[in-house]
Amino acid sequence: MRDVPFARRPITINPVNSPTPGQCGDCGARHIGLCDALTDEDLGFLARVAQRVVISAGKTFIDEGTTANHFYDITQGDVRVFKSLADGRRQITGFMGVGHFIGLAVSGQYAFSAEAITDVKLCRFDRGPLLEVFAEFPALERKLLDVATHEMVIAQEQMLLLGRKTAIERVSSFLISWSERSDPYPDGTSKTSTVNLSLPMSRTDLADYLGLTTETVSRSFSQLKRDGLISFTDVHEVTLLKPQRVAALTAGEQ
Amino acid sequence: MRDVPFARRPITINPVNSPTPGQCGDCGARHIGLCDALTDEDLGFLARVAQRVVISAGKTFIDEGTTANHFYDITQGDVRVFKSLADGRRQITGFMGVGHFIGLAVSGQYAFSAEAITDVKLCRFDRGPLLEVFAEFPALERKLLDVATHEMVIAQEQMLLLGRKTAIERVSSFLISWSERSDPYPDGTSKTSTVNLSLPMSRTDLADYLGLTTETVSRSFSQLKRDGLISFTDVHEVTLLKPQRVAALTAGEQ
DNA sequence: AGCCGTCGTTGATCTCAATCAACGGCCGCA
DNA sequence: TGCGGCCGTTGATTGAGATCAACGACGGCT
């Protein structure tokens, strides 16, 4: 692992689809993704190694085991990240939304696959040039470390879920964490009112995320409905009628 | 998240137990842990914010939910990192050995606990001063990012195990990954000879790591013994008699 | 040396979630 | 408008691993 010199050096500029800093200003992920670590001024350097990419729902854009040539920042839509076994068993390790950064890899290969759940827009960075930008802007590397650390916390939480929670606890935990994802005030006023959530992923996705089968996910939802804790307006639109009682079912970490 | 200025500034020096660079040279983790990112010369700066700590087997030295005041580098022994539920259920998220770095945290609190499996020696860094050292040596931050990225890969692998593998696959996967941990040539000559492993952790630890019960771990080991794939000289000393056949049972990732 | 507590193994039984099966609703398409 | 495939739900049955139980080996202690 050789050091990258600190002095500025010429950066490969890809003229195709390169967003200008101005375009970045319009970006949905401008103030939540990687880009939040830079000023509008410095963002230009990042923009020069970026390309906008559109992926339609269901398409794979990262394949486990292939060479890791790119980093991605999601600017629109939702993505599932997963690993598979040879016989087809699949474990979704995370659902990623706007602002999420994907593509950290060791030994040059992706250790996971990624697919668009909805239609997705991505900001794609070429690995080599981006690493050079990192060398110039340590703030980016720090941001990336924050991202990685946060992902690690989520991953540990998920291991606890997969290793030790019951079906109903898993589904409840998912509902609560999914509601917190879009909640601007995480541990603000304790949730007494109802919460509306949209679930872009399929029941199969949920099952593969929670280490269950679709049938068990469905039965758990039905039980929560029967107990008056949630209701569905549509298969992909759930309302938490009693968020606190759902939270109580997650076997909340001490 | 305010920026840490780049210019060198005075660093708090703790005169108690501070290892000198010379002492670092003797350290078992000198060339594998965080310290590997620095030259002997620069290591002095790191050493000034470090303390040597000894933890006896079974003792907890990081408590989930407490303020994250320290980073740790393991210089001797093995550690279990875990999360617990209020009712006592426990998920071990990793076994950490010499050279492993522990303590990355978000929002200032540890999201996990850590206990010594064997007697353990640690190099402890105070958080504040260490962050200042990071600002001076970006190589450290990069190293940390590498560490975090690698941990993430392991965590995803473990989620696949916990969510989708059978008991025998989990135990086999553990044996193989544990054998690779100390293997200096990971994908070198395919393992045809036998491999001796020492398992410092208890069956309960293994169960809590693999999302099983001690009974199931024990039964899986017994089955592997019955099939002539492994043998035990002692409860904590296993020999892989047919490493390739054990590997075949892990449902190897494609 | 003898005692006690912990740890690991094995057997018997139980249970939660998986599997197998059927069906209704929805959507895209002819 | 009718058809076919996919998705989600619900019911019946099965099964892998948990739970309950017993016991032997070991190690620390007096």
Side-chain angles (χ1 to χ4, degrees):
Chain A
M1 233 157 289
R2 61 183 177 75
D3 282 348
V4 178
F6 257 66
R8 294 208 170 177
R9 19 154 108 178
I11 291 173
T12 308
I13 297 177
N14 190 326
V16 182
N17 284 331
S18 284
T20 65
Q23 281 180 300
C24 288
D26 299 342
C27 172
R30 168 68 183 94
H31 288 293
I32 34 180
L34 187 64
C35 308
D36 188 38
L38 294 182
T39 62
D40 283 322
E41 203 178 333
D42 289 338
L43 200 56
F45 281 87
L46 198 54
R48 280 179 210 165
V49 296
Q51 285 187 314
R52 298 243 167 141
V53 179
V54 177
I55 311 281
S56 53
K59 289 277 181 297
T60 306
F61 62 94
I62 293 180
D63 235 319
E64 184 177 350
T66 60
T67 307
N69 292 323
H70 303 286
F71 293 103
Y72 299 90
D73 220 37
I74 304 175
T75 60
Q76 198 174 105
D78 288 291
V79 166
R80 56 179 170 251
V81 172
F82 62 95
K83 286 178 73 78
S84 299
L85 294 173
D87 61 9
R89 279 175 286 174
R90 183 179 73 151
Q91 179 64 40
I92 292 181
T93 57
F95 296 115
M96 310 293 204
V98 172
H100 275 99
F101 182 82
I102 305 181
L104 286 176
V106 287
S107 70
Q109 300 208 311
Y110 293 120
F112 51 83
S113 300
E115 289 176 357
I117 292 177
T118 60
D119 287 347
V120 159
K121 289 186 185 168
L122 302 168
C123 204
R124 190 180 75 186
F125 305 95
D126 286 320
R127 202 177 178 76
L130 188 59
L131 290 177
E132 294 180 14
V133 177
F134 285 165
E136 288 181 68
F137 297 99
L140 279 179
E141 214 148 29
R142 161 133 343 169
K143 176 77 182 181
L144 229 49
L145 183 56
D146 288 345
V147 168
T149 303
H150 189 244
E151 291 220 345
M152 202 57 218
V153 171
I154 308 260
Q156 287 171 343
E157 194 68 51
Q158 192 68 2
M159 286 189 252
L160 177 62
L161 179 149
L162 293 169
R164 289 299 181 221
K165 291 191 180 180
T166 65
I168 198 76
E169 287 170 348
R170 294 181 199 209
V171 171
S172 301
S173 297
F174 166 75
L175 288 174
I176 294 300
S177 66
W178 192 254
S179 77
E180 285 171 350
R181 139 187 305 230
S182 44
D183 186 351
Y185 307 103
D187 0 78
T189 54
S190 47
K191 274 282 167 351
T192 49
S193 59
T194 65
V195 182
N196 293 309
L197 299 177
S198 95
L199 311 178
M201 70 292 288
S202 69
R203 296 295 192 261
T204 304
D205 285 343
L206 271 177
D208 285 347
Y209 179 59
L210 298 175
L212 301 169
T213 58
T214 57
E215 293 94 329
T216 299
V217 170
S218 187
R219 276 186 249 271
S220 300
F221 276 146
S222 297
Q223 184 181 327
L224 292 174
K225 276 191 287 186
R226 232 177 298 121
D227 296 348
L229 303 190
I230 66 172
S231 70
F232 282 91
T233 54
D234 175 86
V235 190
H236 294 285
E237 295 292 329
V238 66
T239 302
L240 308 191
L241 300 171
K242 309 269 181 66
Q244 287 181 316
R245 288 190 52 200
V246 176
L249 290 178
T250 62
E253 320 71 52
Q254 51 186 355
Chain B
M1 231 158 289
R2 61 183 177 73
D3 283 346
V4 178
F6 256 65
R8 293 210 170 178
R9 21 153 106 180
I11 290 173
T12 307
I13 297 178
N14 189 328
V16 181
N17 284 332
S18 284
T20 66
Q23 281 179 300
C24 289
D26 297 344
C27 173
R30 169 66 183 95
H31 289 292
I32 34 181
L34 186 64
C35 308
D36 188 37
L38 294 183
T39 63
D40 283 322
E41 203 177 333
D42 289 338
L43 199 56
F45 281 87
L46 198 54
R48 281 178 210 167
V49 296
Q51 284 187 315
R52 300 243 166 139
V53 178
V54 177
I55 310 282
S56 53
K59 289 277 182 297
T60 305
F61 63 94
I62 293 180
D63 236 319
E64 185 176 349
T66 61
T67 307
N69 292 322
H70 303 286
F71 294 103
Y72 299 89
D73 220 38
I74 304 175
T75 59
Q76 198 173 104
D78 288 292
V79 166
R80 57 179 169 250
V81 172
F82 62 96
K83 286 178 73 77
S84 299
L85 294 173
D87 61 10
R89 280 175 287 173
R90 184 179 72 153
Q91 179 64 41
I92 292 180
T93 57
F95 296 116
M96 310 294 203
V98 172
H100 276 97
F101 183 82
I102 306 179
L104 285 176
V106 285
S107 69
Q109 300 208 311
Y110 293 120
F112 51 83
S113 300
E115 290 176 356
I117 292 177
T118 60
D119 286 348
V120 160
K121 288 185 184 169
L122 302 168
C123 204
R124 189 180 76 185
F125 304 95
D126 286 320
R127 203 175 177 79
L130 187 59
L131 290 177
E132 294 181 15
V133 175
F134 285 165
E136 287 182 69
F137 297 99
L140 279 178
E141 216 147 31
R142 163 140 331 179
K143 176 77 181 180
L144 229 48
L145 182 57
D146 288 345
V147 168
T149 303
H150 189 244
E151 291 220 345
M152 202 56 219
V153 171
I154 308 257
Q156 288 171 342
E157 193 67 52
Q158 191 69 1
M159 285 188 254
L160 177 61
L161 179 149
L162 292 170
R164 289 300 180 219
K165 291 192 181 180
T166 65
I168 199 76
E169 287 170 347
R170 294 181 197 208
V171 171
S172 301
S173 297
F174 166 76
L175 287 174
I176 294 300
S177 67
W178 193 254
S179 77
E180 285 170 350
R181 141 186 305 231
S182 46
D183 187 350
Y185 307 102
D187 1 77
T189 54
S190 47
K191 274 284 170 342
T192 49
S193 59
T194 65
V195 182
N196 294 308
L197 299 177
S198 95
L199 310 177
M201 71 292 288
S202 69
R203 295 296 192 261
T204 303
D205 285 343
L206 272 177
D208 286 347
Y209 180 59
L210 298 175
L212 301 169
T213 58
T214 56
E215 292 95 329
T216 300
V217 170
S218 187
R219 277 186 249 270
S220 300
F221 276 144
S222 297
Q223 184 182 325
L224 292 174
K225 276 190 289 184
R226 231 177 298 121
D227 296 347
L229 303 191
I230 66 172
S231 70
F232 282 91
T233 53
D234 174 85
V235 190
H236 294 285
E237 295 292 329
V238 67
T239 302
L240 308 190
L241 300 172
K242 308 268 181 65
Q244 287 180 316
R245 287 190 53 201
V246 175
L249 290 178
T250 62
E253 320 70 53
Q254 52 187 355

